[in-house]
Amino acid sequence: MALFAVFQTTFLLALLPLRTYESEVLSEPLLLTPESLKVSVNSTRQRLHLQWTVHSLAYHQELKMVFQIQISRFKTSNVIWVENYRTTVKRNRVLHWSWESKLPLECAAHFIRMRSMVDDARIPKPGFWSNWSSWEEADAQNSLGHDPLLVFPKDKLVEEGSNVTICYVSRIHRDNISCYLEGVQIYGEQLDRSVSAFELKNVSFIRKRGTNVFCKVDQGGALGGIVLFVSKVLEEPKDFSCETQDLKTLTCTWDPGSDTGLSKQPSQSYTLFESFSGKKTLCKHRNWCNWQVAQDSQETYNFTLVAENYLRKRSVSILFNLTQRVHPMTPYNLFPKNVGATNATMTWKVHSIGNNSTLLCQLELLAEGKVIQQHNVSIKVNGEYLLSELEPDTEYVARVRCAYTNHFWKWSELISQKFNTAEAAPSEAPDVWRNMKMVSGHPTVSLFWKPLSKVHANGKILFYNVIVENLDKPSRLEVLSIPAPTRSTELTLDQCSYQIHVTAHNSVGPSPASVIVISGDPGNEEVESGRVNGTEDGFSVSWKPQSGDATGYVVEWCDGPQDLPCALQWKNLGPNTTSTVISSGAFRPGVRYNFRIYEISAKRMAHLLEKKAGYLEELAPSDNPQVVMSNLTSHSFTLSWKDYSTESQPGFIQGYHVYLKPKAGEQCPPAFEKTVLPEDSLCCKHTIDNPEQKTFVVENLQPESVYEFFVTAYTSVGEGPLDAFTKITTLDEYSHILIRIILPMIFCVLIVMIICYLKHQWLKEKCYPDIPDPYKSSVLSLIKSKENPHLTIMNINDCVPDAIEVINKPEGSKIQFLGTRKSLTETEFTKPAYIYLLPTEKNYSGPGPCICFENFTYNQAASDFASCGHFPVTPQAPPHQLGPLTSPENLLKALEQNYMNSLGEIPAGEANLNYVSQLASSTSGDKDSLPTNPPEPALCSEYKMQMVIPLGLASAPPSENSSLSSTTLLGQGEHYR
Amino acid sequence: MKVLAAGVVPLLLVLHWKHGAGSPLPITPVNATCATRHPCHSNLMNQIKNQLTQLNSSAKALFILYYTAQGEPFPNNLDKLCSPNVTDFPPFHANGTERARLVELYRIIAYLGASLGNITRDQKVLNPSAHSLHSKLNATADVMRGLLSNVLCRLCSKYHVAHVDVAYGPDTSGKDVFQKKKLGCQLLGKYKQVIAVVAQAF
């Protein structure tokens, strides 16, 4: 019974809690309050960590609950976050929840509380929130230190493009705090009296070493700062792939993208994970990683590459079969073998892959960078292939790459090898042309040939052989060997016909011969010249075939201007061709090119068919004709420019323009038309449309007028440059008549002057003899007619000049040439002494009467030196007439006056002689010898020597001490004569 | 074990001193006899003077190079960020005896050497591309190491000083980057100021 009672009691006791639970769960709201709430702060991550438990739960009981969490900032009433956190709760299980704050936790105190509610489907009644837990404070400011101004978050690491909130805590409570990022002030929001926050949105990467953000109190206060690290966003690895070269090692590669390394954060790391084997490896390199292939014949691999930095993790995966990722190693030992002129054998080796694996190799042959042959060869280790159809003496590049035959994945890297094929004999005859000219009467042939192209030369051309064969008479062949690269030679031939063979030789042999026949009789190859138009493509030359048996045509031209040495060019054309386009890079605008078209006969002789001349592009003349003016008259003049060459101009000369500038207001002459020059001046222009007309007569001009002319040539493009005009003045209308008169007169005068000069002695004798002939004197006739008709002339035979009067003047006597009358009269006169010198007559026995002759035509100054002492000087002569005779004018006046005086004062009866001589004025130094008394008849006749003395000398005063005598004067007269 | 860690390890650190040595270290054990491994240079004081002159001549350039490399606001806020108010810097009395001056010099150079080590370490991380700054920091540290050896030799040989207590600046490894920059700048400012006085005193 007791046992039953105990059992019953126990049963009841067991039921009691069950009932209680049922009553709680099923009938009453279940209230479970969170307990043991603890808050911790992670400043670096700016997170608040919460942990709590729910103790009220029954043992092993699990309930779904929702916890409402409230977070306040600065004060509990300032709720900034409310969140419902749902979780399954067990008894005594510690629950965790964390929250990241945008604002750095150091800048504000945070308060957290929560309440809970059962949110389990097993509880049918609607739940009720439990009571709030008490506020828990999370304050990170306690450990900040004592700095007056603090900026947070310290060393913040964020991704590019994210938002960051920066705050400062000021312990000095001032408003004048400003914050800067990269030197630029940032503006925020004041959260508290001492806290402000700045939200930086979409921050960008600046530099790896971070960016200083600082706040400072204006005007010398505190300064606090942080360094903000902005990382680039970690990119997903691109182009991730794995391959093997030997089926032993897998190499995985990828493109890592940007490096996210900073001072605060190392570069992103890469980890390779293989899911089938569960192995992973940390890659040592940014963009590749090796993976050792397992020995357990794993064929399929699933790799995941994980890139990771402090902020983010990125991954990429690939799944592949190992044998499908074989990338063979580069082949090696690629060499040419047995290289001939047209073939070569290439050999190479490959690295083996596994056992008995086969590789497919691709052999490519390149010439001048282009693939010309491609061959596929399957090999195991050694490869070999014969390349054929090669060109002689050509550089080739052979290259080989291989791929795994079982499953093509990738070609290996290429290996290349250069080689040269051997030489062969030239395959084509050289292109030969000739130029014939006569040198010293012998036909001389200049042979030209073009170098063979590389395709036809088949090697290096060493020399050219020229074989000259006389076709008219049998003779030895003349062989000339001309070393390359000479491309021409000159042959002097005779009048015979010759066949010339030209061959090119390389180290292997000669080329086929090029044959050309030179005729001994060049014939008359003059043909008419035509014109050819130049285009951008060149000159389009066409011709008319002459004979039907032409084997071809040759167009010949010179590449350079005519005045330069000709670089002969030619072009061979087929027999059916009648036109071609000649193009050359050497063609220049404004240069005249002459083309000759030859027909090649069946006998391989060339005959000139046509000549063409043309310009690639015609230009205006660059210079103007040198014009010569002639035949100038009063109404016309002739212009000529015959030296102007129309051939060497930069275009076909079509004619000339003659410009004439008449004097102002004058009309243009006929045949001229008015035109305006570029400098806007009016001008007359005449156009000559014949390029060969190089003279022009400008007519109908005004006499004695100034004209300006200028001649220029013109082409189809335009005329020459406007040069300076040449001035010309037409002649006076009568000037030519005057010239006809004056010129003969001048000529006659010249003749007379020459005659006079040559016959001056004769003229002198006739016109003005030294000793005048009294009979020819007109004076006598004058005297006779006026006064005394009985006067006669003394016969010279009547006077025997047998004595010379010597005037002996004592020394010390003063000669006063220019003295006063008194001085003249006071001068002591010395009587002359007479000396008998030359008795001319046998019957002359003694001194007879003497007659003195004087010639008045002579300069008194000279004659005074030898004046006769018996000179009849009139005392009435005014003294003043004696002085100023030093001047020539005075002297002449004196001469005239004295002459008249003499005529008037000498009475005819007083003289012993009827002859009246020409008397000079007695004003010379001889005056001191003159008698002061009136003249008396002299007893003897005295001849005074006639002297020609310049007037200047005549006026020169004699020296004071000069003694004057006839002999002395005679000597002087001889001296001056 | 603690004794070993506190005595032998620091000793080894000093003997093979590199950047960033730890807490204050005795030069020699207290009871050890003063002995140098190599004979001192005959003209030791001249060597010391020359080294001080060398340090003094390069201190300003090092300072400028440092604060320039830190970027704004350092170059324009030297008074706030680089003022030489290093509180625990060893004192120096220029009018003391040569022995006293040498002892103080020893303490200063030991302090500076350790601080320069910290700065060099930090700058290699914070300014990895500032090679000229790194080079100048290393060169200065090299001269200081030689100067420390010479001063020790002088103290030992002439004054038989076998033990000098030294102190080091705060370890900056736990500081934030801005604070590291600031502390380095302050230290170099102080160094520039002190080395001028010390060089003048010798």
Side-chain angles (χ1 to χ4, degrees):
Chain A
M1 191 59 190
L3 183 64
F4 177 74
V6 170
F7 178 76
Q8 186 181 19
T9 306
T10 307
F11 179 76
L12 289 173
L13 285 173
L15 284 177
L16 183 63
L18 182 62
R19 187 190 173 279
T20 308
Y21 170 75
E22 283 179 348
S23 67
E24 286 178 356
V25 170
L26 300 177
S27 61
E28 296 176 3
L30 187 59
L31 296 175
L32 300 173
T33 305
E35 298 169 14
S36 306
L37 176 62
K38 290 182 181 173
V39 180
S40 60
V41 176
N42 185 336
S43 297
T44 308
R45 294 184 180 274
Q46 294 183 204
R47 296 192 82 89
L48 289 176
H49 290 279
L50 275 61
Q51 63 177 44
W52 69 96
T53 57
V54 179
H55 294 296
S56 312
L57 278 176
Y59 192 68
H60 296 307
Q61 187 182 4
E62 279 190 6
L63 273 178
K64 288 183 180 175
M65 294 184 68
V66 56
F67 297 93
Q68 190 173 58
I69 303 166
Q70 272 190 347
I71 300 175
S72 300
R73 185 172 284 164
F74 294 113
K75 53 189 179 184
T76 55
S77 59
N78 181 28
V79 176
I80 60 165
W81 192 263
V82 177
E83 183 177 327
N84 291 336
Y85 170 60
R86 297 173 192 281
T87 185
T88 303
V89 182
K90 277 185 177 181
R91 181 186 169 85
N92 292 333
R93 181 181 174 182
V94 179
L95 299 170
H96 296 272
W97 180 83
S98 71
W99 173 77
E100 183 180 359
S101 168
K102 286 186 179 178
L103 183 74
L105 297 174
E106 295 91 339
C107 288
H110 287 78
F111 303 92
I112 304 101
R113 69 176 182 177
M114 66 167 63
R115 60 183 179 176
S116 62
M117 182 173 68
V118 175
D119 185 26
D120 200 319
R122 291 173 293 175
I123 309 297
K125 286 187 179 178
F128 292 91
W129 285 111
S130 69
N131 293 327
W132 285 105
S133 67
S134 59
W135 287 102
E136 292 293 326
E137 183 179 1
D139 192 359
Q141 292 180 306
N142 296 331
S143 57
L144 295 184
H146 305 287
D147 286 347
L149 186 61
L150 294 161
V151 184
F152 297 100
K154 303 286 186 190
D155 303 344
K156 182 71 175 176
L157 173 66
V158 294
E159 264 187 348
E160 195 175 20
S162 58
N163 299 333
V164 188
T165 301
I166 293 170
C167 62
Y168 70 77
V169 179
S170 168
R171 295 203 168 105
I172 47 183
H173 304 304
R174 288 186 184 169
D175 296 333
N176 55 348
I177 296 173
S178 44
C179 297
Y180 301 86
L181 169 67
E182 284 292 303
V184 179
Q185 189 171 359
I186 52 178
Y187 299 94
E189 174 190 7
Q190 188 161 6
L191 303 178
D192 189 23
R193 199 163 63 96
S194 59
V195 177
S196 285
F198 307 85
E199 186 172 11
L200 306 178
K201 292 184 176 177
N202 194 17
V203 292
S204 55
F205 172 81
I206 296 175
R207 64 180 75 86
K208 288 193 168 189
R209 56 188 171 89
T211 306
N212 293 333
V213 181
F214 63 95
C215 300
K216 64 177 182 179
V217 180
D218 296 343
Q219 298 171 351
L223 190 149
I226 60 162
V227 178
L228 176 67
F229 295 93
V230 180
S231 163
K232 290 184 178 175
V233 179
L234 179 64
E235 297 175 39
E236 185 178 273
K238 301 181 193 72
D239 304 329
F240 177 48
S241 69
C242 297
E243 60 189 24
T244 179
Q245 290 187 318
D246 53 5
L247 297 175
K248 294 176 183 171
T249 304
L250 269 168
T251 302
C252 297
T253 58
W254 62 90
D255 175 8
S258 302
D259 181 13
T260 62
L262 299 170
S263 299
K264 180 72 177 176
Q265 168 185 262
S267 297
Q268 65 267 34
S269 63
Y270 291 91
T271 306
L272 199 57
F273 175 71
E274 203 284 308
S275 61
F276 294 116
S277 62
K279 294 178 181 174
K280 70 175 180 180
T281 183
L282 182 64
C283 299
K284 296 176 182 174
H285 308 278
R286 291 186 69 227
N287 57 348
W288 64 275
C289 201
N290 277 341
W291 183 274
Q292 292 302 316
V293 172
Q295 298 298 319
D296 54 1
S297 303
Q298 180 185 352
E299 286 191 356
T300 306
Y301 290 82
N302 184 10
F303 279 109
T304 300
L305 177 69
V306 179
E308 189 177 3
N309 65 9
Y310 286 173
L311 300 170
R312 195 181 283 271
K313 195 182 275 190
R314 297 269 196 174
S315 65
V316 60
S317 298
I318 52 169
L319 176 68
F320 61 89
N321 194 316
L322 180 66
T323 55
Q324 294 176 359
R325 294 290 187 271
V326 179
H327 184 195
M329 280 191 271
T330 309
Y332 62 101
N333 284 357
L334 173 65
F335 294 114
K337 193 171 72 175
N338 303 330
V339 180
T342 58
N343 53 48
T345 302
M346 302 303 300
T347 63
W348 69 95
K349 291 186 176 183
V350 295
H351 300 275
S352 64
I353 299 172
N355 297 325
N356 298 320
S357 295
T358 306
L359 291 178
L360 173 68
C361 292
Q362 190 178 66
L363 172 65
E364 289 178 334
L365 186 69
L366 292 89
E368 296 178 347
K370 294 179 180 174
V371 177
I372 57 171
Q373 291 185 27
Q374 195 178 63
H375 309 279
N376 289 333
V377 187
S378 286
I379 64 167
K380 288 189 180 300
V381 176
N382 297 312
E384 182 175 312
Y385 192 84
L386 174 65
L387 295 168
S388 57
E389 298 177 358
L390 306 181
E391 295 292 337
D393 189 41
T394 304
E395 184 185 87
Y396 290 98
V397 175
R399 63 187 191 190
V400 174
R401 57 183 180 175
C402 299
Y404 193 54
T405 310
N406 294 356
H407 187 279
F408 180 84
W409 163 242
K410 274 182 183 175
W411 289 111
S412 69
E413 298 298 318
L414 285 164
I415 179 172
S416 300
Q417 182 67 50
K418 281 183 186 175
F419 68 95
N420 272 66
T421 50
E423 290 190 357
S427 60
E428 195 165 276
D431 184 2
V432 179
W433 185 236
R434 90 293 179 276
N435 183 26
M436 293 184 66
K437 59 187 174 186
M438 298 296 284
V439 177
S440 305
H442 294 283
T444 301
V445 178
S446 296
L447 280 179
F448 302 92
W449 55 87
K450 293 176 182 173
L452 287 171
S453 66
K454 189 167 171 24
V455 175
H456 297 124
N458 290 342
K460 184 182 180 183
I461 299 298
L462 302 175
F463 60 92
Y464 296 90
N465 265 0
V466 178
I467 301 170
V468 183
E469 182 186 359
N470 192 327
L471 296 178
D472 293 342
K473 52 186 178 183
S475 61
R476 286 181 59 189
L477 296 177
E478 189 182 347
V479 179
L480 301 172
S481 184
I482 298 152
T486 308
R487 292 164 53 187
S488 64
T489 189
E490 203 164 76
L491 303 170
T492 304
L493 307 174
D494 53 20
Q495 301 298 327
C496 299
S497 296
Y498 288 89
Q499 182 167 285
I500 300 168
H501 304 250
V502 180
T503 52
H505 294 247
N506 64 12
S507 63
V508 178
S511 68
S514 183
V515 181
I516 193 167
V517 174
I518 306 296
S519 171
D521 178 18
N524 185 12
E525 292 194 326
E526 285 302 318
V527 293
E528 281 191 10
S529 291
R531 287 187 181 180
V532 61
N533 293 325
T535 62
E536 286 183 355
D537 300 328
F539 291 94
S540 182
V541 180
S542 60
W543 59 91
K544 292 177 182 173
Q546 234 175 26
S547 59
D549 63 342
T551 59
Y553 297 93
V554 172
V555 180
E556 171 196 289
W557 73 94
C558 287
D559 247 357
Q562 286 177 323
D563 52 346
L564 294 179
C566 173
L568 188 67
Q569 307 291 320
W570 69 94
K571 186 177 182 181
N572 274 309
L573 297 154
N576 299 322
T577 314
T578 57
S579 67
T580 186
V581 175
I582 305 295
S583 57
S584 167
F587 287 154
R588 297 283 177 269
V591 176
R592 187 187 191 110
Y593 295 101
N594 294 309
F595 299 93
R596 292 162 167 260
I597 300 109
Y598 291 88
E599 180 187 77
I600 309 298
S601 68
K603 293 180 180 178
R604 311 196 67 79
M605 293 176 74
H607 302 283
L608 181 62
L609 266 187
E610 291 181 26
K611 286 182 185 176
K612 306 267 186 185
Y615 294 86
L616 192 66
E617 183 189 343
E618 282 193 71
L619 301 177
S622 56
D623 45 31
N624 293 315
Q626 297 292 318
V627 179
V628 176
M629 194 277 296
S630 59
N631 299 338
L632 177 66
T633 68
S634 55
H635 292 286
S636 68
F637 58 88
T638 303
L639 302 175
S640 67
W641 53 94
K642 292 187 176 175
D643 294 337
Y644 188 68
S645 168
T646 55
E647 302 290 318
S648 57
Q649 301 306 322
F652 290 115
I653 298 298
Q654 295 184 342
Y656 306 94
H657 288 150
V658 180
Y659 290 96
L660 186 72
K661 281 186 184 173
K663 62 182 181 183
E666 192 177 314
Q667 293 293 321
C668 288
F672 279 84
E673 58 183 10
K674 275 191 177 179
T675 187
V676 180
L677 292 176
E679 69 268 21
D680 293 337
S681 62
L682 279 174
C683 189
C684 302
K685 184 171 101 174
H686 175 73
T687 301
I688 302 170
D689 54 5
N690 178 10
E692 298 308 319
Q693 181 188 333
K694 297 181 181 176
T695 58
F696 180 69
V697 179
V698 184
E699 296 172 308
N700 301 308
L701 305 177
Q702 295 293 322
E704 267 191 298
S705 298
V706 177
Y707 290 91
E708 292 180 66
F709 68 85
F710 163 64
V711 178
T712 181
Y714 67 91
T715 66
S716 62
V717 178
E719 60 182 19
L722 187 65
D723 278 350
F725 280 68
T726 305
K727 277 189 179 177
I728 188 169
T729 307
T730 51
L731 296 178
D732 180 10
E733 203 165 7
Y734 305 104
S735 61
H736 64 285
I737 300 171
L738 289 173
I739 286 171
R740 285 177 191 172
I741 296 170
I742 290 170
L743 280 177
M745 284 181 67
I746 292 171
F747 181 74
C748 291
V749 168
L750 279 173
I751 295 292
V752 169
M753 286 174 70
I754 291 168
I755 291 171
C756 289
Y757 177 73
L758 294 174
K759 298 293 183 182
H760 71 282
Q761 284 298 337
W762 179 80
L763 279 172
K764 185 177 179 184
E765 289 297 325
K766 291 293 181 188
C767 299
Y768 53 97
D770 288 343
I771 303 171
D773 188 350
Y775 292 102
K776 298 176 182 175
S777 173
S778 59
V779 175
L780 186 59
S781 61
L782 276 173
I783 298 170
K784 276 182 178 178
S785 63
K786 286 184 177 178
E787 298 181 3
N788 192 358
H790 304 289
L791 280 175
T792 57
I793 297 169
M794 186 188 74
N795 192 341
I796 197 166
N797 293 329
D798 298 337
C799 182
V800 182
D802 54 356
I804 293 175
E805 181 186 6
V806 177
I807 300 168
N808 187 12
K809 193 171 69 175
E811 288 187 16
S813 64
K814 301 289 181 182
I815 300 172
Q816 297 294 327
F817 291 101
L818 304 173
T820 62
R821 186 178 179 180
K822 185 180 177 182
S823 65
L824 280 171
T825 54
E826 285 174 2
T827 304
E828 186 180 354
F829 177 71
T830 304
K831 286 186 178 178
Y834 292 94
I835 301 171
Y836 297 98
L837 290 176
L838 298 169
T840 55
E841 296 291 334
K842 287 181 180 180
N843 57 356
Y844 182 76
S845 57
C850 191
I851 299 172
C852 181
F853 292 98
E854 289 187 354
N855 189 349
F856 289 105
T857 61
Y858 284 85
N859 191 332
Q860 183 60 42
S863 61
D864 282 350
F865 287 97
S867 63
C868 179
H870 308 288
F871 183 75
V873 176
T874 57
Q876 290 82 10
H880 69 272
Q881 290 181 355
L882 301 173
L885 284 178
T886 49
S887 67
E889 294 82 6
N890 294 338
L891 184 61
L892 287 173
K893 287 178 182 173
L895 279 172
E896 291 170 4
Q897 192 172 356
N898 288 336
Y899 173 73
M900 296 306 295
N901 290 342
S902 298
L903 290 177
E905 290 175 4
I906 301 172
E910 290 176 6
N912 292 333
L913 293 175
N914 290 331
Y915 170 72
V916 178
S917 177
Q918 298 170 340
L919 186 64
S921 171
S922 57
T923 55
S924 68
D926 209 12
K927 282 188 172 64
D928 55 352
S929 64
L930 291 175
T932 53
N933 296 324
E936 294 178 359
L939 293 176
C940 60
S941 172
E942 182 183 358
Y943 172 71
K944 285 182 74 178
M945 183 181 160
Q946 299 173 3
M947 297 176 69
V948 178
I949 295 175
L951 292 173
L953 272 176
S955 64
S959 60
E960 286 186 355
N961 54 359
S962 63
S963 62
L964 191 61
S965 68
S966 298
T967 51
T968 306
L969 289 170
L970 184 64
Q972 287 176 347
E974 286 172 350
H975 177 72
Y976 284 112
R977 190 176 182 89
Chain B
M1 196 62 187
K2 272 187 177 176
V3 173
L4 187 67
V8 177
V9 173
L11 176 64
L12 288 172
L13 275 173
V14 167
L15 290 178
H16 303 90
W17 176 55
K18 296 283 181 186
H19 305 302
S23 55
L25 296 174
I27 299 304
T28 54
V30 177
N31 297 327
T33 55
C34 181
T36 55
R37 273 183 283 178
H38 302 288
C40 295
H41 196 273
S42 59
N43 202 4
L44 205 55
M45 282 311 290
N46 267 346
Q47 283 285 319
I48 290 168
K49 285 176 187 172
N50 289 341
Q51 284 165 323
L52 285 171
T53 305
Q54 188 181 350
L55 289 172
N56 186 35
S57 63
S58 64
K60 186 177 180 183
L62 175 62
F63 180 56
I64 293 170
L65 204 55
Y66 180 88
Y67 68 66
T68 305
Q70 309 316 307
E72 273 302 312
F74 287 87
N76 292 318
N77 294 277
L78 294 179
D79 54 334
K80 300 185 186 77
L81 296 169
C82 305
S83 56
N85 51 356
V86 183
T87 52
D88 55 353
F89 199 82
F92 182 78
H93 300 90
N95 52 0
T97 61
E98 182 184 280
R99 181 179 181 281
R101 280 186 283 130
L102 281 172
V103 168
E104 287 176 340
L105 174 62
Y106 190 91
R107 289 193 179 111
I108 288 170
I109 298 302
Y111 185 98
L112 285 173
S115 299
L116 271 184
N118 289 336
I119 292 170
T120 307
R121 177 199 61 201
D122 292 342
Q123 288 301 311
K124 280 183 178 172
V125 175
L126 300 177
N127 281 308
S129 57
H131 301 297
S132 58
L133 174 62
H134 303 160
S135 170
K136 209 152 190 75
L137 284 168
N138 286 329
T140 306
D142 289 345
V143 176
M144 282 190 181
R145 208 169 293 135
L147 176 60
L148 198 68
S149 174
N150 283 340
V151 172
L152 175 64
C153 222
R154 179 72 172 176
L155 283 171
C156 191
S157 60
K158 187 171 181 183
Y159 301 109
H160 305 288
V161 175
H163 172 80
V164 177
D165 286 328
V166 296
Y168 300 114
D171 183 15
T172 58
S173 58
K175 306 280 187 186
D176 66 270
V177 174
F178 195 85
Q179 198 66 13
K180 283 177 183 172
K181 292 179 176 180
K182 184 178 174 183
L183 289 173
C185 200
Q186 287 176 337
L187 189 279
L188 290 177
K190 182 73 178 177
Y191 160 64
K192 178 175 73 81
Q193 183 190 62
V194 166
I195 202 70
V197 176
V198 174
Q200 187 71 27
F202 283 91

